[in-house]
Amino acid sequence: MRSAEVIVVGGGPAGSAAARALVRSGAEVLVLDRERFPRHKLCAGWITPEVLTDLELDPADYPHGFLSFRRLHFHLKSLHLPVAALQHSIRRFEFDAWLLERSGAPSLQHNVRHIERDGDGFVIDEEFRCRYLIGAGGTSCPVQRALFRESAPRVRALQTVTLELEFEHDWQDPDCHLWFFEAGLPGYSWYVPKARGWLNIGIGAMARRLKDRGEDLHQHWERLRSRLERRLRIRVPDEPGGYSYYVRGPVETVRSGGAFLTGDAAGLATRDLCEGIGPAIRSGQRAADAIVHGSDFDLHAVTGASLGGGLMTRWMDWAFTRGAH
Ligand SMILES: Cc1cc2nc3c(=O)[nH]c(=O)nc-3n(C[C@H](O)[C@H](O)[C@H](O)COP(=O)(O)OP(=O)(O)OC[C@H]3O[C@@H](n4cnc5c(N)ncnc54)[C@H](O)[C@@H]3O)c2cc1C
């Protein structure tokens, strides 16, 4: 049986942020991920300035493609609102592998299936033992299933569904575009250019409201695809991939003894723009702080709003979820 003081399940942004903070504090950490990195992760890869600050990341030191937009373009029916805002994009295929390596933590490819408490620690698949366990395994995190199913249940009304495709494309427009509520979609679609000639397009919506409308996301994808082809001359070369995750619910702490939930495992994406990378990183760092310094693990420092939490956030949240909590 291999032992470590802390085992982190999942090597995405939440897991690698936690691992890096723990390694820096001298803790003994092991990261388990079922995938071999670099691995494909469906995500538009938009990151905020807060992410760079939290990661202490200077874009000049980042060895892969990194693009900054000067404007975000919000589209609502015929309304077009360009907002001056410095935001960034990366490719998750590159970013996640780089973050995990930068954490300095050893990692193993292992699909975690079974977790049980053992005294004041945990045993995983009868192969690994730890005192502290960080669940950073995304939507299907086995730590959430084994230890938090009742205290931090999934709230169906807060589930998103997405379709997305990233492909090489010689884009001309270097800004990010978001189209809200087209044809009644309870969500939005996006165009996110990336450095070195990559483009990410996709569509996301609240699963239950979509179902209530008797619709399938693929119908909306077809609409997006034909609009991009007709208006922007972007030929979409392939079929999209699908993924589901949860936006922030009412739970304010996701800790049970020595076990913590972070990122998508805890359902922390923002309720207005469904941004999950920043909350994943911040919550991973907070879990590490709680282990190292004995501080509280609460989610107050992890934002639930991308648009500042004011009127715009509240309206967007309402428009997506119709107030479901
Ligand atoms: C289509 C789409 C577009 C998005 N666009 C954006 C965006 O532009 N900006 C943004 O901020 N957010 C975006 N998000 C949300 C964002 O991708 C997530 O919130 C973020 O990846 C969460 O990070 P995480 O570390 O919690 O989980 P993940 O990144 O999902 O990492 C979890 C890791 O756990 C591993 N794992 C899972 N199960 C096991 C197991 N049983 N054993 C071992 N390992 C396991 C997985 O292999 C994975 O590597 C998007 C999401 C989708 C689906």
Side-chain angles (χ1 to χ4, degrees):
M1 179 111 43
R2 180 164 172 178
S3 292
E5 186 184 4
V6 189
I7 289 186
V8 181
V9 176
S16 56
R20 181 167 192 247
L22 288 160
V23 168
R24 284 173 131 190
S25 301
E28 184 201 9
V29 192
L30 175 65
V31 179
L32 302 178
D33 199 295
R34 66 184 173 193
E35 303 274 352
R36 184 190 300 278
F37 281 62
R39 55 103 171 84
H40 187 58
K41 165 72 181 95
L42 285 178
C43 179
W46 152 56
I47 56 172
T48 63
E50 290 75 23
V51 165
L52 300 194
T53 306
D54 283 356
L55 290 175
E56 302 172 281
L57 170 56
D58 178 347
D61 298 332
Y62 183 61
H64 303 291
F66 187 97
L67 184 73
S68 296
F69 330 118
R70 283 173 296 119
R71 275 180 298 271
L72 287 178
H73 296 261
F74 291 85
H75 301 265
L76 179 62
K77 295 195 186 296
S78 57
L79 199 76
H80 173 194
L81 185 67
V83 177
L86 185 67
Q87 303 282 318
H88 317 281
S89 71
I90 44 73
R91 294 189 64 214
R92 290 290 299 270
F93 184 76
E94 300 166 343
F95 187 64
D96 288 19
W98 181 77
L99 285 180
L100 184 56
E101 195 182 334
R102 189 177 77 143
S103 76
S107 60
L108 270 184
Q109 189 179 7
H110 179 88
N111 182 15
V112 172
R113 292 171 304 274
H114 186 73
I115 298 168
E116 55 186 44
R117 289 186 192 273
D118 179 38
D120 60 358
F122 303 89
V123 170
I124 299 173
D125 295 332
E126 296 178 5
E127 282 184 56
F128 304 96
R129 186 193 298 279
C130 59
R131 166 73 184 90
Y132 296 101
L133 179 64
I134 298 185
T139 305
S140 62
C141 182
V143 179
Q144 194 273 343
R145 282 203 309 271
L147 305 174
F148 291 91
R149 207 192 277 265
E150 275 153 33
S151 60
R154 298 289 189 219
V155 180
R156 291 288 159 216
L158 299 177
Q159 183 181 14
T160 69
V161 280
T162 61
L163 288 172
E164 178 248 65
L165 186 66
E166 189 160 292
F167 52 98
E168 288 187 273
H169 179 74
D170 182 19
W171 45 260
Q172 301 302 310
D173 184 342
D175 286 339
C176 171
H177 289 259
L178 306 173
W179 292 273
F180 289 87
F181 312 126
E182 290 220 312
L185 178 80
Y188 66 91
S189 51
W190 64 82
Y191 162 105
V192 179
K194 311 274 177 111
R196 302 179 184 172
W198 287 85
L199 178 65
N200 189 295
I201 59 169
I203 188 160
M206 302 311 293
R208 195 164 82 180
R209 291 201 46 229
L210 197 65
K211 191 167 170 224
D212 289 348
R213 291 171 60 88
E215 289 174 354
D216 185 282
L217 200 54
H218 284 89
Q219 300 163 237
H220 289 274
W221 172 268
E222 276 313 307
R223 209 169 273 123
L224 170 67
R225 192 182 57 74
S226 73
R227 174 159 39 81
L228 291 173
E229 292 191 352
R230 250 183 310 112
R231 295 208 204 142
L232 301 177
R233 303 272 177 267
I234 296 172
R235 205 186 69 76
V236 178
D238 217 334
E239 291 304 312
Y243 192 78
S244 168
Y245 64 114
Y246 290 80
V247 297
R248 181 83 170 256
V251 176
E252 279 307 325
T253 183
V254 269
R255 173 175 188 172
S256 168
F260 300 79
L261 272 194
T262 59
D264 277 4
L268 297 184
T270 62
R271 288 180 68 133
D272 48 10
L273 288 185
C274 309
E275 171 208 346
I277 299 172
I281 290 166
R282 184 78 64 88
S283 60
Q285 292 171 336
R286 289 281 149 165
D289 284 349
I291 292 170
V292 173
H293 305 296
S295 51
D296 285 345
F297 180 60
D298 64 49
L299 300 173
H300 295 123
V302 180
T303 182
S306 301
L307 298 170
L311 200 59
M312 185 76 163
T313 290
R314 289 206 294 279
W315 179 74
M316 207 76 102
D317 175 12
W318 177 83
F320 285 155
T321 65
R322 291 285 190 269
H325 285 260

